[in-house]
Amino acid sequence: AVEVEELSESVRVIRLAEEDAIANRDFVLRWSTAGEETGYGVLAHRGDDGGFLTLMIRPPAAPADAQVMPREITFILDISGSMIGTPLAIETDLVSRSLDTLRPDDRFNIVYFSSGNAQLFDAPQPRTEENVRTARAFLRNLTGGGGTEMIAGLERALAAEHDPGRLQMYVLLTDGYVAEDREILELVRTRRGAARFFAFGIGSSVNRALIDGVGEHGGGFSQVVLPREGEEGRRRTVETLFDRIDSPVLVDVAIDWNGLPVEDPYPAKLPDLFAGQTIDLVARYTRPARGTIYVEARCGVERFRVPIEVELPEWEEANAALAPIWARWRIEDRMAEWQGATPSRRRGLEEEIVRLATEFRLVSRFTSFVAVDESRVVGDGTPLRVFQPVETPEDVSFEGAVGEVPVGSAVEVPSWGVAFQNTTARRVVVAVVRPQGEAAARGVRTGAVLTAVDGTLVHDLRHLEGLLLQSGGTVRLTFDPGGDVDLPGPGA
């Protein structure tokens, strides 16, 4: 729940209510746009950090296109361990509801993944009563567990048999708990062709960067489905999906800046626009100016070009948030280039990212907020590493996400950059993996169960410590999942 304070007719201050102060879920603020005519708005800010502007476009409600291509919709379900319980129930319910909304001439299929992947039908099937019954029975019996091999699941969906005469649509449902965000987004961007991806984040604390990125790179849209929204929220989500894909789409959207001193607009390539959405563009400007820009787009077979009067002030203290918003877009753009850059180019990009993040006070891959307490010294002053517990996201199964509930203190092996911990089932799991350590370099992952050392089964942490003391120059550890990993002996 939120508390809303009305400062004026056009200004509201929104705060999280005190009873919702536990930080175990995302704060999501939803609002709707109103009006039947196309709406445009421009805000600007110019201060010591430069000039910035945002252009907002709200499309009008429009009738459906007279000629709608038949569709082929593939639902891609994440059934990994972190989806056990409420998230899995929500995603299967969403797919079941969606089956009722398909057109008679639509075709559909279901692909699902965890540590492996599979699909319901060999090929997409028409929406017949028999096929819908088969799909619903399958969804009722679906259970979660295992890892999250999302890339393999997406590749299976993309490589499956498709009808080229139909508009291909992929609906991804996941919490996004993966480590290969950038690889997944690159796969969606380069392999989708003319298909569209619609991403639904299921849960109270989803990976928004991945969910939103799939919608952006996939030419569709993204949305988060919160467990607290209940039955009404799920109904609204399905309606939103099919209202948008049934509605005309504004495509080939472009901005003619008409000579105004505007630079580095983001997103650099404007997305297609589904009815009910908005386009929010942010850019910087180099000097004060006034003029007319033009928004160009196509809706169905109709093209239009709309003039918008713009004033770029010499000084404007309001709308200061535009500066860090633009900087965040710029950093993401630089990071995308950094991924495929040469070592020498990467150094230059890193310097630019650090400069932007420092100037606009943002967290990035190369910067973070660090508080150093210099008021006292403990011990000899050597930094002490402390494991800091955090809340498990609301409605996420700890056992499903991590494996089992850990108990007691963790034991770290510094030379490997890894810490182990007992679980309630008296097994040993990987509690922490340091990014630059030997274990990380050899693919050891948090949550994996350590089953054996040099072929000897591990019973608990004390037993593990004894086995490591007896080990030689190289130790063979067996993980589930992960298999055998060879590491230098802790004392080597």
Side-chain angles (χ1 to χ4, degrees):
V2 296
E3 298 171 350
V4 180
E5 180 183 359
E6 185 174 339
L7 298 184
S8 70
E9 187 175 332
S10 60
V11 178
R12 306 288 188 277
V13 175
I14 300 173
R15 299 183 183 89
L16 191 64
E18 289 187 7
E19 60 267 24
D20 278 341
I22 299 177
N24 65 343
R25 56 194 175 93
D26 290 343
F27 174 70
V28 179
L29 179 65
R30 300 194 194 278
W31 72 93
S32 59
T33 57
E36 297 184 358
E37 298 297 324
T38 303
Y40 304 92
V42 177
L43 297 175
H45 163 77
R46 194 161 196 251
D48 295 333
D49 48 6
F52 303 89
L53 69 96
T54 183
L55 168 65
M56 297 163 285
I57 307 173
R58 186 197 68 236
D65 200 333
Q67 296 186 353
V68 179
M69 286 183 63
R71 302 173 303 190
E72 184 179 290
I73 300 177
T74 302
F75 299 96
I76 307 174
L77 277 62
D78 177 356
I79 61 167
S80 61
S82 63
M83 297 292 289
I84 290 175
T86 301
L88 183 62
I90 291 175
E91 73 169 344
T92 54
D93 182 47
L94 286 176
V95 176
S96 182
R97 291 169 182 267
S98 297
L99 297 177
D100 290 329
T101 316
L102 295 174
R103 294 198 198 104
D105 57 347
D106 284 339
R107 292 179 179 269
F108 75 98
N109 204 350
I110 299 174
V111 172
Y112 53 101
F113 65 88
S114 55
S115 296
N117 58 81
Q119 60 194 62
L120 175 58
F121 300 116
D122 291 337
Q125 297 297 306
R127 182 191 175 274
T128 63
E129 291 186 6
E130 180 180 355
N131 288 333
V132 169
R133 278 197 304 270
T134 299
R136 286 211 169 98
F138 164 78
L139 292 170
R140 284 194 299 270
N141 294 321
L142 204 56
T143 58
T148 312
E149 300 297 332
M150 185 178 294
I151 290 178
L154 293 174
E155 288 178 335
R156 184 187 192 101
L158 289 165
E161 178 182 331
H162 296 294
D163 181 351
R166 294 176 177 271
L167 180 61
Q168 305 298 324
M169 295 183 173
Y170 297 96
V171 180
L172 173 65
L173 301 102
T174 178
D175 55 18
Y177 293 173
V178 296
E180 305 88 359
D181 294 38
R182 295 193 178 279
E183 292 84 351
I184 291 169
L185 296 181
E186 183 67 10
L187 175 68
V188 170
R189 185 182 69 83
T190 59
R191 292 276 303 277
R192 74 177 179 91
R196 301 187 185 280
F197 270 83
F198 304 88
F200 289 87
I202 310 295
S204 59
S205 183
V206 302
N207 182 349
R208 293 298 298 264
L210 178 67
I211 302 301
D212 292 345
V214 169
E216 177 187 346
H217 293 292
F221 65 86
S222 59
Q223 186 170 333
V224 174
V225 184
L226 301 173
R228 287 195 174 198
E229 292 182 322
E231 185 89 3
E232 175 63 22
R234 300 179 202 179
R235 181 192 62 78
R236 188 170 59 245
T237 296
V238 173
E239 286 183 355
T240 297
L241 170 63
F242 284 93
D243 282 349
R244 289 183 179 177
I245 65 179
D246 280 344
S247 299
V249 179
L250 294 179
V251 298
D252 303 331
V253 182
I255 308 299
D256 178 0
W257 296 106
N258 196 25
L260 287 178
V262 176
E263 296 182 350
D264 302 322
Y266 292 105
K269 184 182 184 305
L270 294 177
D272 291 344
L273 187 62
F274 293 88
Q277 286 186 302
T278 61
I279 283 181
D280 298 291
L281 179 147
V282 64
R284 63 189 185 100
Y285 65 93
T286 57
R287 56 181 172 80
R290 177 181 293 178
T292 303
I293 66 173
Y294 296 91
V295 176
E296 302 171 338
R298 176 170 59 85
C299 181
V301 297
E302 298 290 331
R303 293 199 63 87
F304 61 87
R305 177 179 168 92
V306 179
I308 303 174
E309 296 299 318
V310 174
E311 181 175 357
L312 305 177
E314 183 173 359
W315 186 267
E316 176 58 73
E317 293 184 0
N319 312 312
L322 293 178
I325 291 173
W326 173 86
R328 192 177 298 281
W329 272 101
R330 181 71 172 178
I331 288 173
E332 290 182 4
D333 178 70
R334 301 293 85 183
M335 278 303 306
E337 182 180 349
W338 182 89
Q339 290 293 324
T342 62
S344 60
R345 176 59 179 153
R346 278 192 170 190
R347 285 191 293 272
L349 290 170
E350 287 178 18
E351 292 176 0
E352 181 181 355
I353 291 169
V354 169
R355 178 183 59 77
L356 285 166
T358 304
E359 179 181 352
F360 293 95
R361 298 175 295 281
L362 298 172
V363 174
S364 73
R365 179 170 181 145
F366 309 115
T367 58
S368 62
F369 297 133
V370 178
V372 179
D373 182 3
E374 297 180 342
S375 64
R376 69 197 71 186
V377 176
V378 179
D380 61 0
T382 302
L384 177 64
R385 180 179 290 124
V386 179
F387 293 120
Q388 181 63 47
V390 296
E391 294 281 350
T392 300
E394 184 180 64
D395 291 312
V396 171
S397 163
F398 188 96
E399 293 84 348
V402 178
E404 295 173 2
V405 178
V407 293
S409 301
V411 172
E412 185 163 7
V413 183
S415 61
W416 294 347
V418 67
F420 298 100
Q421 199 166 7
N422 277 329
T423 72
T424 50
R426 294 182 59 81
R427 297 203 293 179
V428 176
V429 297
V430 178
V432 177
V433 179
R434 305 295 176 197
Q436 306 303 323
E438 285 279 351
R442 306 196 187 195
V444 178
R445 294 187 177 184
T446 302
V449 177
L450 177 60
T451 60
V453 173
D454 290 332
T456 301
L457 295 180
V458 177
H459 303 305
D460 53 30
L461 271 183
R462 181 171 294 182
H463 186 216
L464 170 62
E465 290 177 304
L467 292 174
L468 294 181
L469 287 173
Q470 301 171 33
S471 62
T474 300
V475 182
R476 172 158 292 183
L477 307 178
T478 304
F479 294 96
D480 180 21
D484 292 336
V485 174
D486 291 334
L487 289 167

